[in-house]
Coordinates of all heavy atoms in Angstrom, one line a residue:
D29 N -1.7 9.1 -14.0 CA -1.6 8.2 -15.2 C -2.6 7.1 -15.1 O -2.9 6.5 -16.2 CB -0.2 7.6 -15.1 CG 0.9 8.6 -15.3 OD1 0.7 9.5 -16.0 OD2 1.9 8.4 -14.6
V30 N -3.2 6.8 -13.9 CA -4.1 5.7 -13.8 C -5.2 6.1 -12.8 O -4.9 6.8 -11.8 CB -3.4 4.4 -13.2 CG1 -4.3 3.3 -12.9 CG2 -2.3 3.9 -14.2
L31 N -6.4 5.7 -13.0 CA -7.5 5.9 -12.1 C -7.9 4.6 -11.5 O -8.3 3.7 -12.3 CB -8.7 6.6 -12.8 CG -10.0 6.7 -12.0 CD1 -9.8 7.7 -10.9 CD2 -11.1 7.1 -12.9
L32 N -7.8 4.4 -10.2 CA -8.4 3.2 -9.6 C -9.7 3.6 -8.9 O -9.8 4.5 -8.1 CB -7.4 2.7 -8.4 CG -6.0 2.3 -8.9 CD1 -5.2 2.0 -7.6 CD2 -6.1 1.1 -9.8
S33 N -10.7 3.0 -9.4 CA -12.1 3.5 -9.0 C -13.1 2.4 -9.2 O -12.8 1.3 -9.6 CB -12.4 4.7 -9.8 OG -13.6 5.4 -9.3
W34 N -14.3 2.8 -8.9 CA -15.5 1.9 -9.2 C -15.7 1.7 -10.6 O -15.4 2.6 -11.4 CB -16.7 2.4 -8.5 CG -16.6 2.6 -7.0 CD1 -16.5 3.8 -6.3 CD2 -16.7 1.6 -6.0 NE1 -16.4 3.6 -5.0 CE2 -16.5 2.2 -4.8 CE3 -16.8 0.2 -6.1 CZ2 -16.5 1.5 -3.6 CZ3 -16.7 -0.5 -4.9 CH2 -16.6 0.1 -3.7
E35 N -16.3 0.6 -11.0 CA -16.6 0.3 -12.4 C -17.5 1.4 -13.1 O -17.2 1.8 -14.2 CB -17.3 -1.0 -12.5 CG -17.7 -1.4 -13.9 CD -18.4 -2.8 -13.8 OE1 -19.3 -3.1 -13.0 OE2 -18.1 -3.6 -14.7
N36 N -18.4 1.9 -12.4 CA -19.3 2.9 -13.0 C -18.6 4.2 -13.3 O -18.8 4.9 -14.3 CB -20.6 3.2 -12.1 CG -20.2 3.9 -10.8 OD1 -19.5 3.3 -10.0 ND2 -20.7 5.0 -10.5
E37 N -17.6 4.5 -12.5 CA -16.8 5.8 -12.8 C -15.9 5.5 -13.9 O -15.7 6.5 -14.8 CB -16.0 6.1 -11.5 CG -16.8 6.5 -10.3 CD -17.6 7.8 -10.4 OE1 -17.2 8.7 -11.2 OE2 -18.7 7.8 -9.8
A38 N -15.3 4.3 -14.1 CA -14.5 4.0 -15.2 C -15.3 4.1 -16.5 O -14.9 4.6 -17.5 CB -13.8 2.7 -15.0
L39 N -16.5 3.5 -16.4 CA -17.4 3.5 -17.6 C -17.8 4.9 -18.0 O -17.9 5.3 -19.1 CB -18.6 2.6 -17.4 CG -18.3 1.1 -17.4 CD1 -19.5 0.3 -16.8 CD2 -18.0 0.6 -18.8
L40 N -18.1 5.7 -17.0 CA -18.4 7.1 -17.2 C -17.3 7.8 -18.0 O -17.5 8.6 -18.9 CB -18.7 7.8 -15.9 CG -19.2 9.3 -16.0 CD1 -20.4 9.5 -16.9 CD2 -19.4 9.9 -14.6
A41 N -16.1 7.5 -17.5 CA -14.9 8.2 -18.2 C -14.8 7.7 -19.6 O -14.6 8.6 -20.5 CB -13.6 7.8 -17.4
T42 N -15.0 6.5 -19.9 CA -14.8 6.0 -21.3 C -16.0 6.4 -22.1 O -15.9 6.8 -23.3 CB -14.6 4.5 -21.4 OG1 -15.6 3.8 -20.8 CG2 -13.3 4.1 -20.7
Q43 N -17.2 6.2 -21.6 CA -18.4 6.4 -22.4 C -18.8 7.9 -22.5 O -19.3 8.4 -23.5 CB -19.6 5.6 -21.8 CG -19.3 4.1 -21.7 CD -19.0 3.5 -23.1 OE1 -19.7 3.7 -24.1 NE2 -18.0 2.7 -23.1
G44 N -18.7 8.6 -21.3 CA -19.2 9.9 -21.3 C -18.1 11.0 -21.6 O -18.5 12.1 -22.0
L45 N -16.9 10.7 -21.4 CA -15.8 11.7 -21.5 C -14.8 11.4 -22.7 O -13.9 12.2 -22.8 CB -15.1 11.8 -20.2 CG -15.9 12.2 -19.0 CD1 -15.1 12.2 -17.7 CD2 -16.5 13.6 -19.2
G46 N -15.0 10.3 -23.4 CA -14.1 10.1 -24.5 C -13.8 8.6 -24.6 O -12.8 8.2 -24.0
K47 N -14.5 7.9 -25.4 CA -14.2 6.5 -25.6 C -12.7 6.2 -26.0 O -12.2 5.2 -25.7 CB -15.2 5.9 -26.7 CG -16.4 5.4 -26.2 CD -17.2 4.7 -27.3 CE -18.5 4.2 -26.7 NZ -19.3 3.5 -27.6
D48 N -12.2 7.0 -26.9 CA -10.8 6.7 -27.4 C -9.8 7.3 -26.4 O -8.6 7.0 -26.7 CB -10.7 7.4 -28.8 CG -11.0 9.0 -28.7 OD1 -11.7 9.4 -27.8 OD2 -10.5 9.6 -29.6
K49 N -10.1 7.9 -25.3 CA -9.1 8.4 -24.4 C -8.7 7.5 -23.3 O -7.6 7.6 -22.8 CB -9.7 9.7 -23.8 CG -9.8 10.9 -24.8 CD -10.4 12.1 -24.2 CE -9.4 12.7 -23.2 NZ -9.9 14.0 -22.6
Y50 N -9.5 6.5 -23.0 CA -9.2 5.7 -21.8 C -9.5 4.2 -22.1 O -10.3 3.9 -22.9 CB -10.1 6.1 -20.6 CG -10.0 7.6 -20.3 CD1 -11.1 8.4 -20.7 CD2 -9.0 8.1 -19.7 CE1 -11.0 9.8 -20.4 CE2 -8.8 9.5 -19.4 CZ -9.9 10.3 -19.8 OH -9.8 11.6 -19.5
E51 N -8.8 3.4 -21.4 CA -8.9 2.0 -21.5 C -9.3 1.4 -20.1 O -8.6 1.8 -19.1 CB -7.7 1.3 -22.0 CG -7.7 -0.2 -22.0 CD -6.4 -0.9 -22.3 OE1 -5.4 -0.2 -22.4 OE2 -6.3 -2.1 -22.3
I52 N -10.3 0.7 -20.0 CA -10.6 0.0 -18.7 C -9.9 -1.3 -18.6 O -10.1 -2.2 -19.5 CB -12.1 -0.2 -18.5 CG1 -12.9 1.2 -18.5 CG2 -12.4 -0.9 -17.2 CD1 -14.4 1.1 -18.4
V53 N -9.2 -1.6 -17.5 CA -8.6 -2.8 -17.3 C -9.3 -3.5 -16.1 O -9.3 -2.9 -15.0 CB -7.1 -2.7 -17.0 CG1 -6.4 -4.0 -16.7 CG2 -6.4 -2.0 -18.1
Y54 N -10.0 -4.6 -16.3 CA -10.7 -5.3 -15.3 C -9.8 -6.3 -14.6 O -9.1 -7.0 -15.3 CB -11.9 -6.0 -15.9 CG -13.1 -5.1 -16.2 CD1 -13.2 -4.5 -17.4 CD2 -14.0 -4.9 -15.2 CE1 -14.3 -3.6 -17.7 CE2 -15.2 -4.0 -15.5 CZ -15.3 -3.4 -16.7 OH -16.3 -2.6 -17.0
P55 N -9.9 -6.4 -13.3 CA -9.2 -7.4 -12.6 C -9.8 -8.7 -12.8 O -11.0 -8.9 -13.3 CB -9.3 -7.0 -11.1 CG -10.7 -6.3 -11.1 CD -10.7 -5.5 -12.4
S56 N -9.0 -9.8 -12.6 CA -9.6 -11.2 -12.8 C -10.6 -11.5 -11.7 O -11.5 -12.3 -11.9 CB -8.5 -12.2 -12.8 OG -7.8 -12.2 -11.5
I57 N -10.5 -10.8 -10.6 CA -11.5 -11.0 -9.4 C -11.7 -9.7 -8.7 O -10.7 -8.8 -8.7 CB -11.0 -12.1 -8.5 CG1 -12.0 -12.4 -7.4 CG2 -9.7 -11.7 -7.9 CD1 -11.7 -13.6 -6.6
S58 N -12.9 -9.4 -8.3 CA -13.2 -8.2 -7.6 C -14.2 -8.3 -6.5 O -15.0 -9.3 -6.6 CB -13.7 -7.2 -8.7 OG -13.9 -5.9 -8.1
I59 N -14.3 -7.4 -5.7 CA -15.3 -7.4 -4.7 C -16.7 -7.1 -5.2 O -16.8 -6.3 -6.2 CB -15.0 -6.4 -3.5 CG1 -16.0 -6.5 -2.4 CG2 -15.0 -5.0 -4.1 CD1 -15.5 -5.8 -1.2
L60 N -17.7 -7.8 -4.8 CA -19.0 -7.5 -5.2 C -19.5 -6.3 -4.3 O -19.7 -6.4 -3.1 CB -20.0 -8.7 -4.9 CG -21.4 -8.5 -5.2 CD1 -21.7 -8.2 -6.6 CD2 -22.3 -9.7 -4.7
A61 N -19.5 -5.1 -5.0 CA -19.8 -3.9 -4.3 C -21.3 -3.5 -4.5 O -21.7 -3.2 -5.6 CB -18.9 -2.8 -4.9

Side-chain angles (χ1 to χ4, degrees):
D29 299 322
V30 174
L31 172 67
L32 297 177
S33 192
W34 299 107
E35 178 179 44
N36 67 300
E37 296 295 330
L39 287 167
L40 179 62
T42 59
Q43 304 300 314
L45 301 173
K47 272 187 179 184
D48 59 336
K49 291 177 71 173
Y50 307 104
E51 174 188 4
I52 298 176
V53 177
Y54 282 88
S56 60
I57 187 170
S58 184
I59 187 169
L60 177 62

